[in-house]
Amino acid sequence: MTPPAAHRDYADAWRSHRRWRWLPLSVIGAGMVFAIAAGRWPALEPVFTAAQWPLVLLFVATMIIANVQVARFACPRCGKRFNGRVLDGAGLRADAGKACAHCHLPLYG
């Protein structure tokens, strides 16, 4: 069993991982609220029309950057890629995304 002090050492890394995982959902939510507000209040329609393509590009860029950051996340214990070796042998690892591929530290463990 890992001592409680070790969990505190990993807290910052797990917080960063959660933030990157939730960022795309936050952007989607904000975009939906903005689109609904623009359809509800006619005064916002010109703003929505003008900002539509920059917002789409921002959304796509956010999704790409967040997914790359999550994929490159280094295990706080061993320092290797947490989701490395996703394909183990012929199929998907049973614990892919739930534990480190190298030291088997559980996600948020």
Side-chain angles (χ1 to χ4, degrees), residues 13-96:
W14 296 132
R15 193 174 304 115
S16 172
H17 186 267
R18 282 188 187 100
R19 195 174 307 128
W20 281 112
R21 281 189 57 183
W22 281 98
L23 181 65
L25 291 175
S26 301
V27 171
I28 289 171
M32 290 174 66
V33 167
F34 185 67
I36 291 170
R40 194 92 171 129
W41 293 293
L44 286 178
E45 190 174 332
V47 174
F48 182 72
T49 304
Q52 184 175 1
W53 288 110
L55 287 176
V56 167
L57 293 175
L58 177 66
F59 169 74
V60 170
T62 301
M63 294 297 249
I64 291 170
I65 291 169
N67 285 318
V68 166
Q69 287 295 328
V70 168
R72 291 182 54 215
F73 177 71
C75 175
R77 182 190 289 165
C78 68
K80 296 179 182 174
R81 240 180 60 209
F82 190 83
N83 288 321
R85 295 184 10 213
V86 171
L87 294 176
D88 198 17
L92 192 64
R93 272 189 9 240
D95 64 349

